[in-house]
Structure formats: C-alpha cells, structure tokens
C-alpha cells in the first residue's frame, strides 16, 4: 500500500465537488470566457464570474476585487513588483516584511532591493509569529508596503494580521498578505478591511493546481495602484493578461465555496488528527517548533533530540510521506530559513520534520510512525 500522504502544505488533494465541477466542464462544454459573440463564450464567462464571487466571499470582498492568476507565486509578484512604479513616483521606497516569508515573497523583495528599494525583514519570536510591536518599530514615513504572510508554510504559525491591520489604520502603506496557506482555512483574519492585497493559491485549499487569485481590496473607494508585469489581451483589468483557464477557475470557485460551508467540520477533523499525533509522539519528547495553540490545526513541525530529518524521512518512506520544509526548497537540503529566523538550535533545525494533513486524510497509524522514529534513537 502507498504511504499515507502527510504533505498537504505542499499540495492538498482536490475536493470531490471541485473535481466534479471541472469534469463537467471538460466533458460537456467548450468556450473562451473572452468570446462574447456567441453562447459558448457567454456560458464560459458566466461560470468564471460565478467562481469569482465564490472566491471573493471567502474574505468578504466584491467579485470585481478578485483577479485570477496561476497561483500565489504569480499573485505575490504582481502585488509586490507591481507597486514599484507607485513607490518611485511617491518617493516611498521602504518595505517591511518578515524573515519567515515564502521564497515567493522574499525573492521579489530581493528584486525590489536591486531596484533601489530598502527592505526591512522582521524576525519572529520562538512562537513562530512576528509581533505587532516589531512591525510598528520598522514603519517609517516612506514605507510603501507591509507584507506579512497569513500562516507560515513550514510551522503553521498564524501571524497577527488583524493587529497589524489595526496598526496601519493611520498609515498610508499598503498591506499585502500571502495567504497561500491560510485562505479558506482560517477565515477571520483576512476579512479585515485594511488588508489591501491578498495572494491565494487554489491547490493549497483543495482546488486544482495551476490557478489562484490576487485580491485587490479597495480603500476609500480606490484600488491599490498596482501596475501590470505583463501585457497583451487586457484580461483581468489588464493586470494579468491571457486566456482564462475556465475549468481550473470553476474548480477553484467550487473549492472556495466548500471551504466556507464546511470550515468548522474540517477544523474539528484536523484538530482530532493533531491530538492523536501529539499523543503518539509524546514518548519521543519532541520539540514543537511553534506555539501549538496559535498554529493551523493541520500542521506539525517538530524535531526529535539526536535525530536528523533526512534519517527520519527515509525511515518513514513506506509509512508516511512527510517533508522537512517548503516544497520549493526541499531539493536543496539547505537549513530552513524559517527555523533559523526563529533562532532555534542547529540540531533542532537539522532534525525538523513537517507533517501536514487535511480533513480528507484517512485515519493515521501515528503509533507506527512514532515507533519507527524510535528505532532510530
């Protein structure tokens, strides 16, 4: 039998209702949502706009504030790099972010730094979360943007978005959130009206791969002044040109709707799995790399004293598919920049394992996993 899949933070299984919605389109329909001269295009556009409303409802925005992209990485690039012209024109060239962001944020910030912007990266505490006070201390009159992730992809630590949004009420800086891990799971934080830009990825929340969204919330009736990075076609208000992938967008919309409708049940299932995992691992005296009470309920990042993460992953290969960090950097075997930013001991960083599940994960034999790890001690 295949090992149980415990790497849902890398990519999650697709919701059956989302899959069915996509299959219906792929087998029964055809049409470009930009073709307005015939019924096929009209039907495609109607379904795209319905999905736009479903995606918008998760965070309490209007459908015209949702731009479809290929995923959170593209959304992050549009949001961050797209603000550069406005920053130059207003002489606001300072950006505040965190040292635990995904590479999809850190690397665009490096590109901005090469263009003459100054980037301040705030470090988290031992809980895995940054503090609002540390963000406040980094703000300046020329701060263009504050970019803080919703929940960390490695530790699951939820960041204090509402408090940071409150902090920015009297500041002109735009507030961007990379919500790849938290969108559709932790619903409250993203509703704050002071969050201007939200990056979303479908495949992290049980929709299809290859589609996502950038949410551009109006502030005082004005959209964030984001400039396009690509040109040609004019789709998505000219900010993301190209033919829309109708079946992917339909699946994304269906997954978003299910995420809201079934949020409580999903959280309960994930919390139950975490409780059983912690109980089974307890005899190993694991070090948990975040505040367990302030993390997403489907993520557990831990190390076992004296054990290396590579050895654990090899030992578990036939039992469970786990990881030792972000899927984007898992081939490099470099120490986690997230755990280093948390000032964890080097042995804890070297031994860190990330387990992530979801509401569709079958019952896990946590005892067998713990026993296998114990044989390495």
């Amino acid at each position: 039998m295949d090992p149980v899949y415990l790497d849902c933070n890398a990519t999650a299984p697709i919701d059956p209702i989302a899959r069915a919605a996509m299959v219906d389109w792929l087998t029964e329909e055809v049409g470009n949502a930009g073709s307005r001269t015939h019924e096929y295009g009209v039907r495609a556009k109607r379904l795209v706009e319905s999905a736009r409303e479903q995606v918008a409802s998760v965070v309490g925005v209007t459908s015209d504030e949702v731009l479809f992209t290929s995923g959170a990485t593209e959304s992050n690039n549009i949001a961050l790099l797209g603000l550069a012209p406005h920053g130059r024109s207003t002489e606001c060239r300072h950006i505040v972010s965190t040292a635990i962001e995904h590479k999809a944020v850190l690397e665009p910030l490096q590109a901005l730094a090469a263009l003459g912007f100054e980037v301040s990266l705030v470090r988290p505490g031992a809980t895995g979360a940054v503090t609002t006070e540390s963000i406040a201390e980094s703000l300046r009159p020329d701060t263009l943007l504050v970019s803080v992730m919703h929940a960390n992809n490695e530790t699951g630590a939820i960041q204090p978005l509402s408090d940071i949004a409150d902090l920015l009420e009297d500041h002109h800086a735009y507030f961007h959130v990379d919500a790849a891990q938290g969108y559709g799971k932790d619903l409250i934080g993203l509703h704050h009206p002071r969050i201007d830009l939200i990056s979303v990825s479908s495949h992290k929340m049980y929709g299809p791969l290859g589609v996502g969204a950038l949410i551009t919330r109006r502030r005082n009736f004005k959209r964030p002044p984001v400039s396009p990075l690509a040109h040609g076609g004019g789709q998505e208000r000219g900010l993301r040109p190209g033919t829309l992938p109708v079946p992917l967008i339909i699946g994304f919309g269906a997954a978003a709707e299910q995420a809201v409708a079934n949020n409580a049940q999903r959280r309960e299932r994930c919390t139950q799995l975490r409780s059983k995992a912690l109980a089974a691992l307890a005899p190993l005296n694991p070090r948990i790399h975040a505040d367990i009470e302030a993390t997403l309920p489907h993520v557990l990042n831990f190390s076992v004293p004296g054990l290396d993460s590579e050895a654990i992953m090899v030992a578990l290969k036939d039992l469970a598919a786990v990881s030792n960090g972000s899927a984007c950097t898992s081939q490099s075997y470099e120490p986690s920049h997230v755990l280093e930013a948390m000032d964890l001991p080097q042995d804890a960083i070297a031994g860190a394992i990330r387990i992530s599940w979801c509401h569709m994960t079958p019952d896990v034999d946590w005892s067998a996993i713990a026993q296998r790890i114990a044989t390495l001690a």
Side-chain angles (χ1 to χ4, degrees):
M1 295 179 62
D2 287 335
V4 62
Y5 183 72
L6 297 176
D7 200 18
C8 291
N9 273 20
T11 191
I14 190 167
D15 182 276
I17 292 177
R19 182 189 299 112
M22 293 173 59
V23 170
D24 283 348
W25 172 266
L26 290 168
T27 57
E28 304 294 336
E29 296 282 356
V30 65
N32 185 325
S35 299
R36 302 183 181 184
T37 59
H38 50 70
E39 182 61 24
Y40 295 97
V42 171
R43 284 203 299 265
K45 181 175 177 59
R46 187 182 305 125
L47 288 169
V48 165
E49 294 311 309
S50 176
R52 203 184 299 276
E53 292 176 359
Q54 292 168 316
V55 171
S57 68
V58 176
V59 296
V61 299
T62 59
S63 61
D64 68 340
E65 293 172 308
V66 174
L67 303 175
F68 287 118
T69 67
S70 63
T73 294
E74 183 182 15
S75 298
N76 288 335
N77 275 265
I78 295 172
L80 301 176
L81 299 177
L83 281 174
H86 179 73
R88 286 193 290 265
S89 67
T90 59
E91 294 298 322
C92 291
R93 298 171 182 260
H94 178 239
I95 298 169
V96 177
S97 189
T98 83
I100 58 172
E101 298 297 311
H102 192 278
K103 296 294 186 182
V105 166
L106 292 177
E107 292 187 6
L109 291 180
Q110 290 173 0
L112 286 170
L115 294 174
F117 287 79
E118 184 179 351
V119 179
S120 299
L121 296 181
V122 173
R123 297 170 72 89
T127 65
V130 299
T131 65
T132 307
E133 291 74 19
S134 62
I135 298 293
E137 291 170 1
S138 299
L139 283 176
R140 303 186 330 205
D142 65 337
T143 300
L144 167 69
L145 172 72
V146 175
S147 181
V148 178
M149 66 188 347
H150 186 181
N152 186 263
N153 53 299
E154 293 190 31
T155 66
I158 300 171
Q159 307 304 308
L161 297 186
S162 293
D163 292 341
I164 296 172
D166 287 341
L167 168 71
L168 294 173
E169 285 288 1
D170 297 323
H171 197 288
H172 61 80
Y174 292 93
F175 188 15
H176 166 254
V177 174
D178 177 359
Q181 293 294 341
Y183 174 87
K185 300 169 188 175
D186 180 53
L187 299 180
I188 303 301
L190 296 176
H191 278 256
H192 199 295
R194 188 55 183 79
I195 300 176
D196 303 293
L197 297 153
I198 304 172
S199 299
V200 179
S201 197
S202 164
H203 74 107
K204 305 289 189 180
M205 44 77 67
Y206 323 115
L209 285 155
V211 66
L214 174 63
I215 294 166
T216 58
R217 185 183 267 123
R218 292 184 185 87
R219 194 195 328 162
N220 297 326
F221 305 104
K222 295 181 180 179
R223 301 181 190 275
V226 178
S227 299
L229 305 185
H231 303 272
Q235 293 91 342
E236 301 303 274
R237 300 203 314 273
L239 282 176
R240 205 278 181 174
T243 301
L244 293 175
V246 176
L248 297 182
I249 289 172
I250 291 171
F252 182 18
E257 184 174 71
Q258 291 302 306
V260 174
N262 301 305
N263 184 259
Q265 301 95 306
R266 291 179 176 185
R267 289 184 66 87
E268 181 179 0
R269 169 63 176 164
C270 289
T271 301
Q272 290 173 350
L273 285 168
R274 182 174 67 183
S275 295
K276 292 177 180 179
L278 289 170
L281 294 170
L284 300 174
N285 296 315
R287 175 173 184 152
I288 308 300
H289 303 145
D291 179 359
I292 203 68
E293 299 302 322
T295 62
L296 294 172
H298 64 278
V299 187
L300 192 60
N301 191 303
F302 69 96
S303 59
V304 176
L307 297 184
D308 178 79
S309 64
E310 295 295 323
I312 294 176
M313 288 190 295
V314 171
L316 295 179
K317 195 169 184 179
D318 63 326
L319 287 179
V322 302
S323 73
N324 61 350
S326 170
C328 298
T329 56
S330 63
Q331 300 301 316
S332 66
Y333 301 110
E334 295 178 355
S336 164
H337 73 279
V338 172
L339 302 184
E340 287 189 328
M342 292 168 61
D343 287 328
L344 294 183
Q346 285 302 310
D347 60 336
I349 296 173
I353 290 289
R354 182 187 70 180
I355 299 178
S356 52
W357 53 90
C358 73
H359 62 283
M360 289 184 277
T361 301
D363 289 338
V364 180
D365 190 346
W366 296 112
S367 295
I369 290 174
Q371 289 170 12
R372 184 69 63 84
I373 296 174
T375 63
L376 301 174

